[in-house]
Amino acid sequence: MHPSGGPPPRILAPYVRIGVQDGTLFLGFGSVQQSIQDRNLWRPLVQLADHFREPRTRAEALDFLRGPCRVEAARAEAVMLTLEHGNCLILASAYDPEDRYSRHALFYELSGADARRVQRRLASAHVLLLGCGGIGNLVAVTLATAGVGALTLVDADHVELSNLTRQFLFTEADAGASKSRALARELRRRNPGCRIRTIVGAPTDIEDLRALPEADLLLVSADSPGLTGLVNAHCVDSGQAWLNACYVNDVAVWGPLVVPGTTGCWDCRLLTARAPADEPELAALIGRVNARYQAPSNGPVNMLASSLAALDVLRHLGGFGVPAALNRRMGVWSHELSIQEQPAERDPHCVTCADVHPATPRHQGAL
Ligand SMILES: [Zn+2]
């Protein structure tokens, strides 16, 4: 409430731009743009937008339209409603250009969320990153600089020169250093407010996973064989959300975002090709061929998977928008720039999650 007792004043969101193209006036651009063909609305709408460069209440704005702008009542209301759509007006207190998170605040407001609430949720969130390689680097720096309150970095590896094509937070001087510790050092330089813990090690069984600190979300980018299944079992059992991000040769892949008891889990659908269980000899041969697999890692494809996964993590933890990887595994085929989605809805007979009920995590996300 405003001190006067009415609704608080609002301002025109700084991301609102107006333009005319092919006889249509566009108010805002992107997924919430409005197109206005009725030329009679153009002038009062632009006048009203200009009026809202300063904080105004709705009543003040309507007085402005009907007074100085000489717009009759019904049209003034129509113009007002147009400007109130598409998240064009935000609370005057929602945007402080001096705040370090102010540009992200605009993004959250554009998505229809209360930016201050999103930022508070992120500040109270803890993400555990299993793997501090290419994807771990970029997701970690995205979350730390976005204001996620705490990160735990888990990796047993040490930096090698061949990592530098995509693990951008490491330098030549880091060669031989622990990845999780080198990454932590770089994150602290960028946001000292983020609480960072490092673990030099690689979980290989369910007991190792249980020994890790509990988090609001696990981001898994380590490529150890069988790890995704183990993480899924652990997270479903403990009620922790988790997200896998990787690349499959030239395809950037992320998802499904597993929220135990609410979404499908890794075991609900067969998401990856496996060796034939009914042909052990052939399976052994396939295993021998696959054992020599070396990922053709590529910086840009790595960035693609990292950025889309990080955006979903922020959506889930911050509670704005809807994560793209809910109940599906997403792939961007980088050469042809097409998007593939594998359904990953919940199977009521899933051996892993059939009996699991929704947990009440601190971050339920936008489900
Ligand atoms: Zn399941």
Side-chain angles (χ1 to χ4, degrees), residues 159-177:
V159 179
E160 299 173 20
L161 287 180
S162 65
N163 298 150
L164 302 186
T165 52
R166 62 209 178 276
Q167 301 180 22
F168 300 126
L169 271 70
F170 303 145
T171 68
E172 287 189 7
D174 290 321

PDB file of all heavy atoms in Angstrom, residues 159-177:
ATOM      1  N   VAL A 159      43.646 -29.122 -13.306  1.00  0.00           N
ATOM      2  CA  VAL A 159      43.587 -28.390 -14.575  1.00  0.00           C
ATOM      3  C   VAL A 159      44.694 -28.870 -15.514  1.00  0.00           C
ATOM      4  O   VAL A 159      45.846 -29.029 -15.106  1.00  0.00           O
ATOM      5  CB  VAL A 159      43.728 -26.874 -14.325  1.00  0.00           C
ATOM      6  CG1 VAL A 159      43.697 -26.112 -15.653  1.00  0.00           C
ATOM      7  CG2 VAL A 159      42.633 -26.386 -13.374  1.00  0.00           C
ATOM      8  N   GLU A 160      44.294 -29.105 -16.789  1.00  0.00           N
ATOM      9  CA  GLU A 160      45.260 -29.450 -17.833  1.00  0.00           C
ATOM     10  C   GLU A 160      45.152 -28.411 -18.947  1.00  0.00           C
ATOM     11  O   GLU A 160      44.097 -27.788 -19.126  1.00  0.00           O
ATOM     12  CB  GLU A 160      44.944 -30.841 -18.411  1.00  0.00           C
ATOM     13  CG  GLU A 160      45.010 -31.962 -17.381  1.00  0.00           C
ATOM     14  CD  GLU A 160      44.520 -33.297 -17.958  1.00  0.00           C
ATOM     15  OE1 GLU A 160      44.509 -33.432 -19.199  1.00  0.00           O
ATOM     16  OE2 GLU A 160      44.152 -34.169 -17.172  1.00  0.00           O
ATOM     17  N   LEU A 161      46.217 -28.259 -19.713  1.00  0.00           N
ATOM     18  CA  LEU A 161      46.198 -27.253 -20.782  1.00  0.00           C
ATOM     19  C   LEU A 161      45.085 -27.526 -21.792  1.00  0.00           C
ATOM     20  O   LEU A 161      44.496 -26.595 -22.345  1.00  0.00           O
ATOM     21  CB  LEU A 161      47.556 -27.211 -21.497  1.00  0.00           C
ATOM     22  CG  LEU A 161      48.698 -26.564 -20.705  1.00  0.00           C
ATOM     23  CD1 LEU A 161      49.983 -26.585 -21.531  1.00  0.00           C
ATOM     24  CD2 LEU A 161      48.348 -25.128 -20.302  1.00  0.00           C
ATOM     25  N   SER A 162      44.768 -28.808 -22.022  1.00  0.00           N
ATOM     26  CA  SER A 162      43.719 -29.139 -23.000  1.00  0.00           C
ATOM     27  C   SER A 162      42.329 -28.744 -22.510  1.00  0.00           C
ATOM     28  O   SER A 162      41.359 -28.821 -23.263  1.00  0.00           O
ATOM     29  CB  SER A 162      43.742 -30.640 -23.319  1.00  0.00           C
ATOM     30  OG  SER A 162      43.400 -31.392 -22.168  1.00  0.00           O
ATOM     31  N   ASN A 163      42.209 -28.322 -21.245  1.00  0.00           N
ATOM     32  CA  ASN A 163      40.911 -27.870 -20.709  1.00  0.00           C
ATOM     33  C   ASN A 163      40.596 -26.429 -21.122  1.00  0.00           C
ATOM     34  O   ASN A 163      39.453 -25.985 -21.059  1.00  0.00           O
ATOM     35  CB  ASN A 163      40.905 -27.897 -19.176  1.00  0.00           C
ATOM     36  CG  ASN A 163      41.102 -29.277 -18.580  1.00  0.00           C
ATOM     37  OD1 ASN A 163      41.652 -29.410 -17.503  1.00  0.00           O
ATOM     38  ND2 ASN A 163      40.665 -30.319 -19.272  1.00  0.00           N
ATOM     39  N   LEU A 164      41.630 -25.677 -21.502  1.00  0.00           N
ATOM     40  CA  LEU A 164      41.463 -24.222 -21.593  1.00  0.00           C
ATOM     41  C   LEU A 164      40.616 -23.766 -22.775  1.00  0.00           C
ATOM     42  O   LEU A 164      40.247 -22.599 -22.852  1.00  0.00           O
ATOM     43  CB  LEU A 164      42.838 -23.534 -21.640  1.00  0.00           C
ATOM     44  CG  LEU A 164      43.753 -23.825 -20.439  1.00  0.00           C
ATOM     45  CD1 LEU A 164      45.015 -22.972 -20.513  1.00  0.00           C
ATOM     46  CD2 LEU A 164      43.042 -23.578 -19.118  1.00  0.00           C
ATOM     47  N   THR A 165      40.268 -24.684 -23.693  1.00  0.00           N
ATOM     48  CA  THR A 165      39.408 -24.294 -24.819  1.00  0.00           C
ATOM     49  C   THR A 165      37.985 -24.000 -24.383  1.00  0.00           C
ATOM     50  O   THR A 165      37.208 -23.418 -25.132  1.00  0.00           O
ATOM     51  CB  THR A 165      39.351 -25.424 -25.869  1.00  0.00           C
ATOM     52  OG1 THR A 165      38.991 -26.646 -25.199  1.00  0.00           O
ATOM     53  CG2 THR A 165      40.694 -25.590 -26.569  1.00  0.00           C
ATOM     54  N   ARG A 166      37.623 -24.432 -23.187  1.00  0.00           N
ATOM     55  CA  ARG A 166      36.232 -24.259 -22.744  1.00  0.00           C
ATOM     56  C   ARG A 166      36.094 -23.994 -21.250  1.00  0.00           C
ATOM     57  O   ARG A 166      35.054 -23.535 -20.805  1.00  0.00           O
ATOM     58  CB  ARG A 166      35.406 -25.495 -23.118  1.00  0.00           C
ATOM     59  CG  ARG A 166      35.919 -26.759 -22.438  1.00  0.00           C
ATOM     60  CD  ARG A 166      35.656 -28.012 -23.216  1.00  0.00           C
ATOM     61  NE  ARG A 166      36.227 -29.165 -22.515  1.00  0.00           N
ATOM     62  CZ  ARG A 166      37.502 -29.546 -22.617  1.00  0.00           C
ATOM     63  NH1 ARG A 166      38.338 -28.873 -23.388  1.00  0.00           N
ATOM     64  NH2 ARG A 166      37.947 -30.585 -21.955  1.00  0.00           N
ATOM     65  N   GLN A 167      37.114 -24.275 -20.476  1.00  0.00           N
ATOM     66  CA  GLN A 167      37.034 -24.068 -19.023  1.00  0.00           C
ATOM     67  C   GLN A 167      37.650 -22.697 -18.739  1.00  0.00           C
ATOM     68  O   GLN A 167      38.762 -22.569 -18.243  1.00  0.00           O
ATOM     69  CB  GLN A 167      37.730 -25.224 -18.312  1.00  0.00           C
ATOM     70  CG  GLN A 167      37.060 -26.558 -18.691  1.00  0.00           C
ATOM     71  CD  GLN A 167      37.661 -27.792 -18.045  1.00  0.00           C
ATOM     72  OE1 GLN A 167      38.315 -27.712 -17.012  1.00  0.00           O
ATOM     73  NE2 GLN A 167      37.408 -28.951 -18.648  1.00  0.00           N
ATOM     74  N   PHE A 168      36.857 -21.667 -19.074  1.00  0.00           N
ATOM     75  CA  PHE A 168      37.402 -20.328 -19.276  1.00  0.00           C
ATOM     76  C   PHE A 168      37.866 -19.628 -18.009  1.00  0.00           C
ATOM     77  O   PHE A 168      38.539 -18.616 -18.083  1.00  0.00           O
ATOM     78  CB  PHE A 168      36.364 -19.453 -19.990  1.00  0.00           C
ATOM     79  CG  PHE A 168      35.963 -19.989 -21.340  1.00  0.00           C
ATOM     80  CD1 PHE A 168      34.632 -20.201 -21.651  1.00  0.00           C
ATOM     81  CD2 PHE A 168      36.919 -20.291 -22.295  1.00  0.00           C
ATOM     82  CE1 PHE A 168      34.256 -20.692 -22.893  1.00  0.00           C
ATOM     83  CE2 PHE A 168      36.556 -20.787 -23.545  1.00  0.00           C
ATOM     84  CZ  PHE A 168      35.216 -20.994 -23.842  1.00  0.00           C
ATOM     85  N   LEU A 169      37.481 -20.129 -16.853  1.00  0.00           N
ATOM     86  CA  LEU A 169      37.921 -19.444 -15.637  1.00  0.00           C
ATOM     87  C   LEU A 169      39.316 -19.893 -15.200  1.00  0.00           C
ATOM     88  O   LEU A 169      39.878 -19.342 -14.264  1.00  0.00           O
ATOM     89  CB  LEU A 169      36.904 -19.628 -14.506  1.00  0.00           C
ATOM     90  CG  LEU A 169      35.818 -18.539 -14.510  1.00  0.00           C
ATOM     91  CD1 LEU A 169      34.881 -18.696 -15.680  1.00  0.00           C
ATOM     92  CD2 LEU A 169      35.040 -18.512 -13.225  1.00  0.00           C
ATOM     93  N   PHE A 170      39.869 -20.893 -15.885  1.00  0.00           N
ATOM     94  CA  PHE A 170      41.229 -21.335 -15.582  1.00  0.00           C
ATOM     95  C   PHE A 170      42.210 -20.668 -16.543  1.00  0.00           C
ATOM     96  O   PHE A 170      41.852 -20.296 -17.666  1.00  0.00           O
ATOM     97  CB  PHE A 170      41.341 -22.860 -15.729  1.00  0.00           C
ATOM     98  CG  PHE A 170      40.386 -23.640 -14.867  1.00  0.00           C
ATOM     99  CD1 PHE A 170      39.837 -24.837 -15.324  1.00  0.00           C
ATOM    100  CD2 PHE A 170      40.034 -23.192 -13.598  1.00  0.00           C
ATOM    101  CE1 PHE A 170      38.951 -25.565 -14.537  1.00  0.00           C
ATOM    102  CE2 PHE A 170      39.148 -23.920 -12.801  1.00  0.00           C
ATOM    103  CZ  PHE A 170      38.605 -25.106 -13.277  1.00  0.00           C
ATOM    104  N   THR A 171      43.452 -20.536 -16.069  1.00  0.00           N
ATOM    105  CA  THR A 171      44.507 -19.969 -16.911  1.00  0.00           C
ATOM    106  C   THR A 171      45.651 -20.984 -17.018  1.00  0.00           C
ATOM    107  O   THR A 171      45.658 -22.008 -16.313  1.00  0.00           O
ATOM    108  CB  THR A 171      45.066 -18.677 -16.292  1.00  0.00           C
ATOM    109  OG1 THR A 171      45.775 -19.020 -15.087  1.00  0.00           O
ATOM    110  CG2 THR A 171      43.950 -17.700 -15.953  1.00  0.00           C
ATOM    111  N   GLU A 172      46.616 -20.687 -17.847  1.00  0.00           N
ATOM    112  CA  GLU A 172      47.784 -21.570 -17.963  1.00  0.00           C
ATOM    113  C   GLU A 172      48.465 -21.746 -16.607  1.00  0.00           C
ATOM    114  O   GLU A 172      48.992 -22.806 -16.290  1.00  0.00           O
ATOM    115  CB  GLU A 172      48.787 -20.989 -18.971  1.00  0.00           C
ATOM    116  CG  GLU A 172      48.336 -21.109 -20.418  1.00  0.00           C
ATOM    117  CD  GLU A 172      49.442 -20.715 -21.384  1.00  0.00           C
ATOM    118  OE1 GLU A 172      50.582 -20.486 -20.930  1.00  0.00           O
ATOM    119  OE2 GLU A 172      49.161 -20.635 -22.596  1.00  0.00           O
ATOM    120  N   ALA A 173      48.421 -20.678 -15.814  1.00  0.00           N
ATOM    121  CA  ALA A 173      49.079 -20.743 -14.499  1.00  0.00           C
ATOM    122  C   ALA A 173      48.396 -21.735 -13.562  1.00  0.00           C
ATOM    123  O   ALA A 173      48.976 -22.150 -12.558  1.00  0.00           O
ATOM    124  CB  ALA A 173      49.096 -19.355 -13.862  1.00  0.00           C
ATOM    125  N   ASP A 174      47.147 -22.118 -13.886  1.00  0.00           N
ATOM    126  CA  ASP A 174      46.418 -23.067 -13.031  1.00  0.00           C
ATOM    127  C   ASP A 174      46.750 -24.524 -13.358  1.00  0.00           C
ATOM    128  O   ASP A 174      46.250 -25.430 -12.676  1.00  0.00           O
ATOM    129  CB  ASP A 174      44.899 -22.871 -13.189  1.00  0.00           C
ATOM    130  CG  ASP A 174      44.430 -21.572 -12.572  1.00  0.00           C
ATOM    131  OD1 ASP A 174      44.948 -21.218 -11.499  1.00  0.00           O
ATOM    132  OD2 ASP A 174      43.558 -20.917 -13.164  1.00  0.00           O
ATOM    133  N   ALA A 175      47.519 -24.762 -14.411  1.00  0.00           N
ATOM    134  CA  ALA A 175      47.814 -26.151 -14.801  1.00  0.00           C
ATOM    135  C   ALA A 175      48.339 -26.918 -13.591  1.00  0.00           C
ATOM    136  O   ALA A 175      49.257 -26.464 -12.899  1.00  0.00           O
ATOM    137  CB  ALA A 175      48.828 -26.176 -15.935  1.00  0.00           C
ATOM    138  N   GLY A 176      47.720 -28.059 -13.335  1.00  0.00           N
ATOM    139  CA  GLY A 176      48.117 -28.887 -12.198  1.00  0.00           C
ATOM    140  C   GLY A 176      47.361 -28.580 -10.921  1.00  0.00           C
ATOM    141  O   GLY A 176      47.404 -29.358  -9.967  1.00  0.00           O
ATOM    142  N   ALA A 177      46.642 -27.446 -10.888  1.00  0.00           N
ATOM    143  CA  ALA A 177      45.902 -27.075  -9.670  1.00  0.00           C
ATOM    144  C   ALA A 177      44.565 -27.814  -9.608  1.00  0.00           C
ATOM    145  O   ALA A 177      44.030 -28.248 -10.631  1.00  0.00           O
ATOM    146  CB  ALA A 177      45.661 -25.570  -9.651  1.00  0.00           C
TER     147      ALA A 177
END
